[in-house]
Amino acid sequence: MDYKAFMIKYAEIGTKGKNRYKFEDVLVGRIKEHLEPYGDFAIRKDYGRIYLEAQSDYDYEDVVNELKKVFGIIGICPIVVEDNTDFEAIKAKSIEYMGERYGNKSLSFKVYARRSDKSYPMQSMEINSEIGHYLLEEYSEYRVDVHSPEVLLTIEIRDKVYIYSEIIRGAGGLPVGTNGKAMLLLSGGIDSPVAGYMISKRGVELEAVYFNAPPYTSERAKQKVIDLARIVSGYSGEIKLHIVNFTDIQLAIYEKCPHDELTIIMRRYMMKIAQHLAKENDCKALITGESIGQVASQTMESLYCTNEVCNMPVFRPCIGMDKQDIIDISEKIDTYETSILPYEDYCTIFVAKHPVTKPRLDIIKRSEEKLADVIDELVKTAIETVEVEKVSFR
Ligand code: ATP
Ligand code: MG
């Protein structure tokens, strides 16, 4: 079947009162951005729906797959459009549509007509029963089931007539750009790309920061993070990725602090620097992939110590999730295969054999005092030498 148009359904943004128009405009903008490489589409808003009409050839699968990545969309309906709103034209188009879409195979159906123009000469009920009648006449294998039909043939009569029977599930959430911006701490692991995806789904634009430790971490590890940012940007839109050279800070911590506290102290400096970059770039929150109890640095006590350096909200959408649940999402969003590539996060020398699992904040702070002579300068240099890369799905 050759569809020339789609109707887009969205949920929550329809309920935002006066802001509704703003939300709709953002969603329309996102749809345009996503579809740009796939063809020329006329996009129009109308009574809580968005209509896309193809002005050029396009690949159906590609376009549907791309629309599934746009946050804010709950349903994608491939539709046929009839310009003539006369009943005879609607009838002919309905018969043609059902024939092309399903043929004369055994199925139960129900017709569901809606008129936005109440002055239309026929009532919805009347249209339902008339069209139903003609379909039964045309296709001997069809039967009517008004309670749970296999096919719900929806006919919307507006300025034109829109006919569809299929709703492909969209990503849900809110359009990116309707809820500010946050800074994602993006490592090469499984969890942080999922965390970024989940927060972006609530309409949040993303920037990201990666703490790199050359030569202890390889160029390939850095490239992996860039690749992950690119996959996430397929949903969130362009991501400004800040790459921090963290080597000297790690070495200083390694040299001066107890080895079983390395990870916690390092994580505290990551959060501090991430927060600094967030503030500089108008981000109102940080995002991490932490999950309670997953590793030593994510026990309740460790999270308490890590969080203590932050005074902006830290979003941890994976916090209550099991590893397998996080993996399931990473497979769905296509980051999993990249995340499991075996390039080290940081060299094993920086990870203690027996890290503290119940760090005490007062003790950690005392250990950090040993860095007093050097740390301000090192943090300053790390921030001044940040490399920025704009990563985008196109
Ligand atoms: P992930 O799978 O996201 O790497 P993880 O289970 O390996 O998580 P940790 O290494 O303890 O967990 O890191 C916890 C969180 O800290 C990560 O989810 C990420 O948000 C952040 N993080 C860790 N290492 C880095 C890094 N090198 N650069 C940026 N963020 C990092
Ligand atoms: Mg990790």
Side-chain angles (χ1 to χ4, degrees):
M1 177 124 204
D2 235 9
Y3 292 103
K4 295 272 179 294
F6 295 89
M7 186 177 71
I8 302 297
K9 295 187 172 187
Y10 47 88
E12 290 178 58
I13 71 169
T15 64
K16 300 277 179 201
K18 274 195 219 143
N19 280 334
R20 175 170 164 168
Y21 298 106
K22 205 181 89 197
F23 277 76
E24 286 174 343
D25 287 344
V26 174
L27 180 56
V28 166
R30 293 300 168 208
I31 292 173
K32 274 189 186 145
E33 241 172 60
H34 277 265
L35 292 189
E36 206 204 278
Y38 296 101
D40 194 9
F41 290 87
I43 306 182
R44 189 166 58 82
K45 297 190 295 179
D46 189 18
Y47 295 103
R49 299 270 198 261
I50 292 170
Y51 294 90
L52 312 179
E53 283 189 51
Q55 312 288 300
S56 64
D57 285 343
Y58 72 97
D59 184 277
Y60 177 83
E61 294 291 325
D62 286 350
V63 165
V64 169
N65 284 335
E66 195 57 39
L67 288 171
K68 283 184 184 170
K69 291 176 137 190
V70 183
F71 294 138
I73 293 179
I74 55 157
I76 303 154
C77 308
I79 54 176
V80 296
V81 184
E82 172 57 60
D83 293 339
N84 185 346
T85 59
D86 292 347
F87 179 73
E88 281 305 314
I90 297 176
K91 176 184 136 189
K93 201 74 178 182
S94 301
I95 289 171
E96 181 192 314
Y97 169 81
M98 290 298 282
E100 277 193 35
R101 179 70 183 76
Y102 303 102
N104 184 21
K105 72 168 196 196
S106 167
L107 59 79
S108 64
F109 77 97
K110 173 185 172 176
V111 181
Y112 176 52
R114 295 202 301 180
R115 308 160 304 154
S116 65
D117 174 8
K118 299 297 172 200
S119 69
Y120 193 78
M122 287 169 80
Q123 299 276 334
S124 300
M125 292 296 279
E126 208 182 337
I127 303 171
N128 292 345
S129 71
E130 290 278 312
I131 303 270
H133 172 77
Y134 287 115
L135 285 172
L136 287 172
E137 234 174 44
E138 188 76 23
Y139 302 112
S140 55
E141 297 297 312
Y142 289 13
R143 62 191 185 282
V144 172
D145 181 345
V146 291
H147 299 297
S148 54
E150 286 155 5
V151 175
L152 180 68
L153 178 66
T154 305
I155 302 174
E156 294 194 4
I157 305 169
R158 302 184 176 215
D159 58 330
K160 297 178 185 178
V161 184
Y162 301 98
I163 297 174
Y164 63 94
S165 64
E166 196 182 349
I167 304 179
I168 299 161
R169 194 169 167 175
L174 299 168
V176 174
T178 56
N179 262 318
K181 193 162 66 169
M183 180 68 73
L184 168 66
L185 283 87
L186 182 62
S187 68
I190 294 169
D191 308 326
S192 45
V194 169
Y197 168 88
M198 288 171 76
I199 295 301
S200 182
K201 186 173 170 183
R202 298 306 303 168
V204 178
E205 256 178 88
L206 300 181
E207 294 203 9
V209 53
Y210 168 58
F211 295 91
N212 195 17
Y216 302 100
T217 57
S218 65
E219 196 57 29
R220 287 192 309 182
K222 172 175 147 186
Q223 188 55 45
K224 174 179 163 182
V225 172
I226 296 172
D227 292 344
L228 285 170
R230 183 166 293 114
I231 299 170
V232 174
S233 78
Y235 306 88
S236 68
E238 185 179 88
I239 294 177
K240 188 170 159 191
L241 173 64
H242 306 260
I243 300 169
V244 177
N245 186 329
F246 203 54
T247 312
D248 290 343
I249 294 174
Q250 276 192 330
L251 287 173
I253 299 171
Y254 185 72
E255 200 178 297
K256 295 176 192 290
C257 301
H259 286 185
D260 60 348
E261 294 169 8
L262 284 182
T263 308
I264 294 295
I265 295 174
M266 199 182 76
R267 302 262 318 121
R268 280 165 59 88
Y269 280 101
M270 282 187 185
M271 296 297 265
K272 266 186 207 172
I273 293 172
Q275 178 164 265
H276 179 95
L277 294 172
K279 286 180 179 167
E280 263 186 353
N281 288 278
D282 200 30
C283 297
K284 297 289 189 286
L286 301 179
I287 306 167
T288 78
E290 289 159 309
S291 162
I292 297 174
Q294 202 187 77
V295 287
S297 61
Q298 295 174 29
T299 62
M300 193 69 91
E301 292 80 2
S302 299
L303 288 164
Y304 180 82
C305 290
T306 311
N307 197 67
E308 194 262 347
V309 299
C310 297
N311 53 26
M312 63 165 52
V314 181
F315 299 148
R316 300 176 172 92
C318 302
I319 198 73
M321 294 170 72
D322 292 348
K323 191 72 185 186
Q324 189 56 49
D325 298 335
I326 303 171
I327 290 174
D328 289 348
I329 297 180
S330 76
E331 284 177 334
K332 190 184 88 183
I333 67 173
D334 221 20
T335 50
Y336 184 72
E337 293 299 325
T338 306
S339 288
I340 59 171
L341 292 172
Y343 314 137
E344 68 297 328
D345 272 23
Y346 19 80
C347 180
T348 40
I349 65 156
F350 293 120
V351 179
K353 283 206 179 62
H354 301 289
V356 279
T357 53
K358 294 192 177 187
R360 271 179 45 189
L361 187 58
D362 53 341
I363 296 177
I364 295 288
K365 283 186 163 173
R366 212 170 310 136
S367 301
E368 283 179 356
E369 281 168 18
K370 303 192 177 96
L371 298 166
D373 295 347
V374 293
I375 195 71
D376 288 351
E377 199 54 38
L378 291 178
V379 168
K380 191 167 160 252
T381 307
I383 288 167
E384 279 168 4
T385 57
V386 168
E387 255 178 80
V388 173
E389 189 146 341
K390 290 197 172 166
V391 182
S392 152
F393 56 105
R394 248 175 262 139

